[in-house]
Amino acid sequence: MNDSPTIKSHIARQPGITARPTAIVHGREIDPDMESDRYRFLSPTEQRIATMWRDGEDLVDRQGRTRVPLGNGPISRLIRATYPLQQPKRVATSNVITLPEFQRAYEAVALANVEGFVLNTFLTVSWTVGGVHGASHIHSLHERLFASMRSWVSDVQQSAGMPEFPFAAIWVKEVGKKLGLHSHFLLHVPTSLFHRFREWAHKATRHLLELPKPDPRMAASALRVVHCSGFGNDCVQQWRVLKYLMKGLDADAAMPCVQSHHHFLVAEFAGLKPSNQGTVAGPRFGRSRALGISAFRKAEARYGRFNFWIEGKDQNDLPYDNRYLSHGELHRQLEQVSI
C-alpha cells in the first residue's frame, strides 16, 4: 500500500455540489486542509511531530531512538506510549568521597610532585550560579570543560613553543549553600601561562553556559560563575587546596593498621574535617590520565615505590609537604650522574 498521499477528486453524490479534493493516507481518506487545521492549537514542536506522523514518516528507529526531539505535548506523549523507546542510561549519584577516591586524589598530587610539577592552579566553576540546574546537564558540561582543558594544554604547547608539560589535574564536584552545584579543579599550569589560562577559563565557561560577555558598566555580582587563582610553586598551598577538596570525605571511612590490626578513622589520619557536600550526579572525583594508574606504575618503575600511607605503629599524620618533590628531584639527579 502506498503511504504517500494521493490527491483524488471525488464527485459528490448530490447533484450540483463540487467535491473538495481529498487525500488517501494509510488507506484513509482525509481532507488536507482540515488535517492541517486540527494542529493549529499545538506548539510548533508538536505540530512538526504530528505532521510527520500523519505523513507516515518513521519517528523512531529500530533501536528505539527518536528521530526528532520529543516534547511534553499530547502528540509526544502519544509517541512515547505507542513505541518502545530506548531508555536513557541512569546516571549514578554520589553523596561522599570514598576512601579509594581519597587515596587516588592524594596519590595523584604526590605523583605530580614526583614528576617535578606542582598543582598550582585552583579553578572553581559554579554551574548553578551560571543558570544551569539539571544534574545530568551539569554532568555533561563538566566533562566538556575538562576535555577542553586537555585540548588547551596541547594547543598552548604547540603555539607557545614551550617545554612539554603534562595535563596534570584532579577535580571534585560539590553542592554548596551559596554556589550550588559546582566543580573544583586543581591542575598544573606553568606560571608564565597562568594569566592566559585564567582568561581562557572564563571564556570557555561563558561559551558552555551561553552567557553574554560581562558588561564593565554593571556592578559585579557577589557570586561569581568562575574563580581562578594560582600560587606559583608553593607546594604547601597545593596540599591545603587538596585538603579543602577532600572535605566531602566519608566521615566513617576507616583503614586498618598493619601492625596492630586495628582500624582507625581516615579523617583523623588525614587531618580532615568532613562535612556534607550534597549529592551529585556521576562521579564526585576524577583525575587526568597523566595522574592515572598507568602513569603511577611507570613512575614507580622509575623512582621506586612511594610510601603514601605510613605503615608504622604510629599513624598520626599523612604527609602534606615537599617530600615527593625532593624524592623525584633526587632520582633525576642520580640519573644524570649515572649517564
Side-chain angles (χ1 to χ4, degrees), residues 171-183:
W171 56 261
V172 171
K173 287 187 291 187
E174 299 176 344
V175 180
K177 295 181 179 179
K178 294 182 178 180
L179 294 180
L181 210 165
H182 58 278
S183 300

Side-chain angles (χ1 to χ4, degrees), residues 28-41:
R28 182 169 61 93
E29 185 179 55
I30 65 172
D31 185 334
D33 293 333
M34 294 298 293
E35 284 293 308
S36 61
D37 186 62
R38 64 186 288 206
Y39 301 139
R40 68 183 183 277
F41 298 111

Side-chain angles (χ1 to χ4, degrees), residues 33 42-43 53 111:
D33 293 333
L42 299 177
S43 66
W53 197 18
L111 174 58

Side-chain angles (χ1 to χ4, degrees), residues 248-266:
L249 176 70
D250 182 3
D252 297 326
M255 288 183 60
C257 178
V258 176
Q259 293 187 0
S260 63
H261 301 289
H262 293 160
H263 283 72
F264 57 93
L265 291 176
V266 177

Side-chain angles (χ1 to χ4, degrees), residues 79-128:
I79 296 297
R80 291 190 178 95
T82 305
Y83 295 93
L85 300 182
Q86 185 181 101
Q87 298 300 319
K89 292 183 178 180
R90 189 174 181 180
V91 179
T93 58
S94 172
N95 298 316
V96 295
I97 293 176
T98 63
L99 173 57
E101 288 175 331
F102 172 66
Q103 287 180 304
R104 291 195 293 269
Y106 183 90
E107 292 174 355
V109 177
L111 174 58
N113 289 178
V114 167
E115 295 288 2
F117 302 100
V118 175
L119 302 187
N120 57 2
T121 302
F122 183 30
L123 172 67
T124 298
V125 177
S126 175
W127 309 106
T128 301

Side-chain angles (χ1 to χ4, degrees), residues 96-274:
V96 295
I97 293 176
T98 63
L99 173 57
E101 288 175 331
F102 172 66
Q103 287 180 304
R104 291 195 293 269
Y106 183 90
E107 292 174 355
V109 177
L111 174 58
N113 289 178
V114 167
E115 295 288 2
F117 302 100
V118 175
L119 302 187
N120 57 2
T121 302
F122 183 30
L123 172 67
T124 298
V125 177
S126 175
W127 309 106
T128 301
V129 175
V132 181
H133 300 279
S136 59
H137 188 196
I138 291 176
H139 175 68
S140 174
L141 292 175
H142 171 95
E143 291 188 334
R144 288 169 59 187
L145 181 60
F146 196 61
S148 297
M149 287 185 201
R150 185 186 305 110
S151 299
W152 181 87
V153 170
S154 176
D155 294 342
V156 77
Q157 291 184 72
Q158 297 178 8
S159 61
M162 296 188 60
E164 183 177 354
F165 63 95
F167 175 52
I170 63 173
W171 56 261
V172 171
K173 287 187 291 187
E174 299 176 344
V175 180
K177 295 181 179 179
K178 294 182 178 180
L179 294 180
L181 210 165
H182 58 278
S183 300
H184 291 307
F185 302 90
L186 180 61
L187 67 154
H188 171 75
V189 176
T191 53
S192 60
L193 295 176
F194 170 73
H195 295 288
R196 184 173 174 179
F197 172 79
R198 182 170 60 182
E199 181 180 1
W200 171 87
H202 280 79
K203 290 182 178 179
T205 305
R206 286 201 305 269
H207 176 73
L208 282 175
L209 295 174
E210 299 180 356
L211 297 176
K213 187 176 181 180
D215 190 346
R217 297 170 298 180
M218 302 294 292
S221 174
L223 296 177
R224 289 181 287 179
V225 177
V226 181
H227 179 77
C228 186
S229 59
F231 31 88
N233 293 318
D234 189 345
C235 186
V236 176
Q237 183 63 18
Q238 163 203 252
W239 288 112
R240 288 175 181 169
V241 173
L242 174 70
K243 294 175 71 175
Y244 175 77
L245 298 186
M246 295 294 106
K247 60 184 179 294
L249 176 70
D250 182 3
D252 297 326
M255 288 183 60
C257 178
V258 176
Q259 293 187 0
S260 63
H261 301 289
H262 293 160
H263 283 72
F264 57 93
L265 291 176
V266 177
E268 296 180 357
F269 167 55
L272 302 176
K273 296 181 179 179

